[in-house]
Amino acid sequence: MCLLACGGGDDASAPAGPPIRFLHTFGAEETELFNAIVVERRLTVESSLVPFARGQQVISAILAGGTDCPDLMRIDATWLPGLRTAGYLAPVPADLAARDWTPEAKGLVASAWRSNDQLFAVPQTVDGLVVVRDSSRPAPASPAITDVVAAARATKTPSSPYPLGVRVDGYWFVPWLRAEGGELRPTGIGDVGAVVALEKFAALYGDVASPPPPSGTEAPDELRRWNAHELAYWITGPWQLGALRDRDRLAITPLAHAPRGGQVLVVPTCARAPAEGWRLAAELTDTPALARFAAAFATVPTRESALASSPPLVRALYEALKSAEPLPRAVNTPLLFDDLNPALAAAVARDATPTEAIDGVRHGWHRLTRGEGHP
Amino acid sequence: MRAAASLRWRVLLLLALTAVVPTVIVGVLAISRARADVESEVERGALAHIRALGAALDGTLQDARRTVELAAATWADQPDGEREAQLLLKRLRRNVPIVSALSILDADGTLKYGDAVPDGVDAGSHSFGGYIGDVRRTNGRTIVNLVVQARGRTGELMGVFLATLDLGFVRDVVAAARLGRGARVVVVDGTGVPVATSDGRPLTETSLAGKDPAVDRALASSIEGTLATGGWVSAYRNLSSYQSSRGVRWAILHQQPEADAYALARRTTRDTLLVGGIALALALALGALVATLLTRPLEALARRADAIAAGGADDGPPIRGPGEIGVLGQRIDEMAKRVAERTELQQALARGDRLASVGVMSAQVAHEINNPLTTVLGYAKLLQEDKPEGHPDRAGLELIASEAERMKSIVGSLLEYARAPRQSEQQMKPVELASPETCQPAAVVRHVATLLGPQLKKGRTTLVTDMASDAAVTIDAHALQQVLVNLVQNALQAMSDGGTITIASSPAPGAVATTITVADTGPGIPAQHRTKVFDPFFTTKDAGVGTGLGLAVSKHLVATAGGSIEVGDGPNGTGAEFRLVIPNAGTV
């Protein structure tokens, strides 16, 4: 019976050798391109998708087990501090570290870039929030939130009452929080400033931003509204632009206090074949591969050489992200969203006042600080 | 013939290229397309099957999950009421039949209400939205843990609902699936461990990941798809509601041996190939027949052309064929006739020239020989007269005299043959019945009858004349007389036992010529000799009887007058008949 007896591969022409085990956060379309690159480079890779929402916990559990380790992982940059602190990451080979990384890419892995003269992550792409608009629309007066919202409000019409695209998510809340002096720190969200920020953020919905769609449908809803020209100004990141049909009509401007992040490649210390893991990392971050990802999905490459050959849209994204600021590099930073996101949803839905919601966030973050609950 | 055969093969090749090859190509493409379509339909059918099964599985779990989520949200708004909590758990157990154990933990992960928390359950506060764990087997049951966060009105985490789900319904749904021959349905969890199979085989904890490519494919990023490998056709689909703690969705697979899955496609292909092959063979046979029919007249044309090129006569049956080929055959026939006529004319001219030369030479030779022969004959007769009867030299002298007579006869014929072309120089005018170039055939015939009367009588032969035409003909009377004398004498010699010779005349068709026939009742002329009897020196008579020049001279005289002479069977199929056609006076 095939279920019990079939071999692992169905492609007789596949290159021989033990497969490189790769855990990644690629989307479906990105995975297709990744698979194509793997075939072209004659690599044998056994890849698995890690869901972004629970990626850090999944990876931590795998690495803690130490028996089922991948050879390479593509992870979110915010997961780096936790994994690095736990000692799960292997140092980067010198030849990889010496590549022509962009300053933003170096900053992406800054917390893990050097530790006793060792490097622990290779940047693969830079992302963050920017303001995307139809090129026929005027640019906001400045990157400030108030000017972006004002620009959007100026385009309101009876047929397009919600021209601003902004997601009910802690990542999108960061610019509002920072604008009021807060930050995404368990101890530093601030009381008054965070509440004011949430009041302003929640006030967007039903005014210039549409009431949020059901959970889990945010991305396709935004794409639908953009393609239907219902959105005039769209606060989003490069990950959304790859799926757009008409990239030519896009214009990019920076957003003040926007968060900047990215995806990095790391090799765990428990990898069975770390050299093969770094080999795959080198293939995925060579100039042609980065340029292909940039051309296909508008992802911002992490090397100067790849950036130079990228489409104008990608270079515009890169320029807009220069002024964005990375999230605090703390072990618990990714976990903060678990409590922040429900609080934002409650406030936007008017189930809770901003004060009540921020109080709930404060309780949850305090629990994290105390180390209570399950890790 | 080789050219004709080549033409047939070329026609066949042309048919093959223009009809068979495109038919084969189109047929192969159509078969491939049809087979691909059928195989695609098989795969689509398998996908549709597991979609339906997966929807049933997703629906059951979604119902349970949403019920638990709703209960968790309700509890989170008032987390401190123990009685309400216990009542909620009781209602959940009653309304969600697949729940086998239920617990409520607080935000710190401590059990507050319900059943004991199984070991190894990750009920962490960071699992926003909850998840389904990996499948486990306990006491013969297949179970899985459902973790749902309980967040209050403000979004604050108040606790976690932990439900243990009995997956017996998965087994029941899969087992109830109506499957094709050899097919099976398998559900695997996010690690590839089988959850349920349709064939009821004992389940193990061994993961199929890395062993079954379809399972690997299903657990990767694809939502659904098909895979044919290792002799099996697999359709796979993720179960959207089932997501393991590692974030990988469970999958449902429909697997069937390729031989069974594509049986219809293969049978269709085989039948189509069989029918197509027969049709193709019939088409080729028909094409060969058509090619033969088409090329047969062309082959005949080629043969006729070869014969013409080789100088052959225009014999053979008329060439028949459809349309333009028939017209071409007629033209070739006409052309062959023209060529034959021209060839014959050229030959006649050449023969005439040759005979004319021979005639001049013969006249000179005959002139030179005639005087010595006269001397030899005279002296032979004188010597013969001097010898008494019974003298031994007399027989030899008689032989000398008779041979000399015969030689004089030959010389005389040669002189006549030589004189014949030079009509204008003819000086013998036995009858003055018409102008020098024309004559009345009836008068000439009467003169011939008179002239040959003794010979006819001696040969016990009757001469009958039937001159129905009284038109003058364009031939010198002497020439016509010589021709008729030759013909009558030949007939006399052919009828050693006597018989009847008939000379008749009649207007030729169109009334531009007169036909004169000389028929006898003798043995006739064999067919193989009829084309040669007019050749000089051809004779079937005994040695010393004929010179072989009589008919050649006759034909030469008639042809010179613009007429023709032919030989055939007698009127009743017996004897021989010479038929002269001579233009009438005033028509030339």
Side-chain angles (χ1 to χ4, degrees), chain B residues 334-350:
Chain B
E334 292 170 7
M335 186 179 73
K337 280 186 180 175
R338 300 280 167 79
V339 169
E341 288 172 1
R342 179 160 298 181
T343 302
E344 189 178 0
L345 180 60
Q346 287 174 342
Q347 289 174 346
L349 288 173

Side-chain angles (χ1 to χ4, degrees), chain B residues 27 40 69 95 155 186 210 214 232 239 316 327 356 394 507 537-538 563 566:
Chain B
S40 175
E69 285 175 349
N95 293 331
V186 181
W232 287 78
L239 297 173
V327 173
R394 194 174 179 89
F537 305 112
F538 178 82
E566 294 174 346

Side-chain angles (χ1 to χ4, degrees), chain A residues 270-332:
Chain A
C270 57
R272 291 179 305 182
E276 289 301 299
W278 287 125
R279 179 186 165 209
L280 178 57
E283 296 281 359
L284 290 176
T285 55
D286 68 9
T287 300
L290 290 176
R292 286 177 69 178
F293 273 101
F297 306 113
T299 54
V300 178
T302 51
R303 294 179 61 181
E304 300 285 4
S305 53
L307 189 63
S309 59
S310 296
L313 172 66
V314 174
R315 292 201 294 275
L317 283 168
Y318 173 76
E319 291 298 325
L321 287 172
K322 278 184 175 178
S323 60
E325 305 163 29
L327 293 175
R329 299 181 179 92
V331 173
N332 287 330

Side-chain angles (χ1 to χ4, degrees), chain B residues 11 16 37 57 92 153 160 171-172 184 232 237 258 276 281 313 354 388 398 420 445 461 485 520 570:
Chain B
V11 170
D37 287 345
L57 298 178
L92 271 180
R153 177 179 57 85
V160 173
R171 178 197 60 220
D172 296 340
R184 60 180 287 165
W232 287 78
R237 178 177 173 80
E258 207 169 319
R354 188 173 71 248
E398 285 180 358
V445 169
T461 300
V485 167
D520 62 43

Side-chain angles (χ1 to χ4, degrees), chain A residues 84-374:
Chain A
R84 171 72 192 100
T85 302
Y88 291 145
L89 304 183
V92 176
D95 58 332
L96 274 181
R99 284 183 163 176
D100 57 337
W101 310 111
T102 63
E104 291 70 26
K106 289 180 180 177
L108 188 66
V109 294
S111 63
W113 191 249
R114 290 186 179 277
S115 175
N116 297 327
D117 295 328
Q118 293 296 330
L119 317 175
F120 293 93
V122 172
Q124 198 261 336
T125 180
V126 173
D127 57 36
L129 292 179
V130 297
V131 178
V132 178
R133 72 176 195 282
D134 192 309
S135 54
S136 64
R137 306 284 188 182
S142 78
I145 291 171
T146 51
D147 286 334
V148 173
V149 172
R153 182 172 284 113
T155 65
K156 283 185 64 167
T157 64
S159 59
S160 296
Y162 306 119
L164 179 65
V166 58
R167 198 178 295 184
V168 183
D169 188 290
Y171 199 69
W172 274 255
F173 177 63
V174 169
W176 275 262
L177 180 62
R178 285 175 172 171
E180 300 300 329
E183 183 53 284
L184 213 63
R185 291 192 183 90
T187 57
I189 191 169
D191 293 333
V192 178
V195 171
V196 172
L198 185 51
E199 285 174 346
K200 292 182 178 178
F201 187 76
L204 297 173
Y205 298 91
D207 177 16
V208 290
S210 69
S215 177
T217 64
E218 294 88 348
D221 182 72
E222 288 175 351
L223 282 175
R224 180 191 62 75
R225 297 180 62 216
W226 173 264
N227 289 330
H229 297 266
E230 295 176 10
L231 292 180
Y233 297 84
W234 185 14
I235 297 174
T236 187
W239 56 83
Q240 280 281 77
L241 306 186
L244 293 184
R245 293 195 298 263
D246 49 353
R247 295 186 202 171
D248 291 342
R249 74 176 172 103
L250 299 181
I252 310 294
T253 52
L255 177 67
H257 306 301
R260 187 175 69 218
Q263 304 297 306
V264 300
L265 297 167
V266 296
V267 171
T269 52
C270 57
R272 291 179 305 182
E276 289 301 299
W278 287 125
R279 179 186 165 209
L280 178 57
E283 296 281 359
L284 290 176
T285 55
D286 68 9
T287 300
L290 290 176
R292 286 177 69 178
F293 273 101
F297 306 113
T299 54
V300 178
T302 51
R303 294 179 61 181
E304 300 285 4
S305 53
L307 189 63
S309 59
S310 296
L313 172 66
V314 174
R315 292 201 294 275
L317 283 168
Y318 173 76
E319 291 298 325
L321 287 172
K322 278 184 175 178
S323 60
E325 305 163 29
L327 293 175
R329 299 181 179 92
V331 173
N332 287 330
T333 297
L335 304 181
L336 301 181
F337 294 98
D338 289 342
D339 291 303
L340 180 58
N341 289 347
L344 295 179
V348 170
R350 311 292 193 262
D351 292 339
T353 65
T355 302
E356 290 172 330
I358 291 299
D359 281 347
V361 171
R362 194 169 56 248
H363 294 155
W365 288 9
H366 181 61
R367 192 180 303 112
L368 275 177
T369 306
R370 284 186 294 133
E372 295 173 350
H374 297 274

Side-chain angles (χ1 to χ4, degrees), chain B residues 443-476:
Chain B
V444 173
V445 169
R446 283 195 300 274
H447 186 72
V448 168
T450 304
L451 191 65
L452 297 178
Q455 291 184 38
L456 293 168
K457 185 176 181 182
K458 183 181 179 182
R460 303 186 300 279
T461 300
T462 303
L463 178 65
V464 178
T465 60
D466 178 13
M467 306 304 287
S469 172
D470 58 355
V473 296
T474 59
I475 187 170
D476 182 79

Side-chain angles (χ1 to χ4, degrees), chain B residues 91-108:
Chain B
R91 288 175 175 168
L92 271 180
R93 289 191 181 96
R94 186 173 65 231
N95 293 331
V96 186
I98 64 173
V99 169
S100 61
L102 197 57
S103 314
I104 299 177
L105 288 65
D106 65 14
D108 297 328

Side-chain angles (χ1 to χ4, degrees), chain A residues 32-112:
Chain A
E32 295 297 324
L33 178 56
F34 164 75
N35 289 336
I37 291 175
V38 163
V39 171
E40 290 168 10
R41 309 289 171 94
R42 299 191 60 76
L43 299 169
T44 309
V45 178
E46 179 184 298
S47 61
S48 297
L49 175 66
V50 177
F52 193 84
R54 285 178 43 77
Q56 187 178 15
Q57 289 73 44
V58 170
I59 288 175
S60 295
I62 292 172
L63 301 187
T67 59
D68 195 24
C69 289
D71 299 316
L72 182 71
M73 299 185 295
R74 181 183 188 263
I75 63 173
D76 190 81
T78 59
W79 306 348
L80 268 177
L83 298 178
R84 171 72 192 100
T85 302
Y88 291 145
L89 304 183
V92 176
D95 58 332
L96 274 181
R99 284 183 163 176
D100 57 337
W101 310 111
T102 63
E104 291 70 26
K106 289 180 180 177
L108 188 66
V109 294
S111 63

